[in-house]
Amino acid sequence: MTERAYWLFAFDSPHAAIAAQKLLAGCGAVVMPTLRCITASCGMSLRLTDEAIDKAKGIMTESAIDPKLYR
């Protein structure tokens, strides 16, 4: 099995994570638990592929979700 690289948006608020999930559904965002090595988080993350990350970043930048709530 080969490992596939992916990107994560980690959130400080479950509300922000759920709102982002709805916004990024068209980008193939998948909800997953935040990795243990990422300590600043509410425990929910969104996983995205390399192909989708630039589109997802643009959507998040234009959204009403406060950028302080995710990394």
Side-chain angles (χ1 to χ4, degrees):
M1 183 165 99
T2 60
E3 290 186 31
R4 295 189 63 188
Y6 57 88
W7 294 84
L8 282 183
F9 279 111
F11 296 88
D12 290 340
S13 154
H15 176 73
I18 293 166
Q21 178 189 14
K22 291 176 185 176
L23 288 173
L24 301 178
C27 295
V30 177
V31 176
M32 66 176 276
T34 302
L35 302 172
R36 289 183 186 184
C37 62
I38 302 173
T39 57
S41 170
C42 70
M44 293 176 67
S45 290
L46 295 180
R47 182 179 69 203
L48 293 122
T49 63
D50 265 345
E51 297 79 27
I53 192 62
D54 289 332
K55 181 178 178 183
K57 285 179 182 178
I59 292 169
M60 291 298 288
T61 298
E62 294 176 10
S63 77
I65 300 171
D66 186 344
K68 295 176 187 171
L69 295 177
Y70 64 90
R71 299 167 216 17

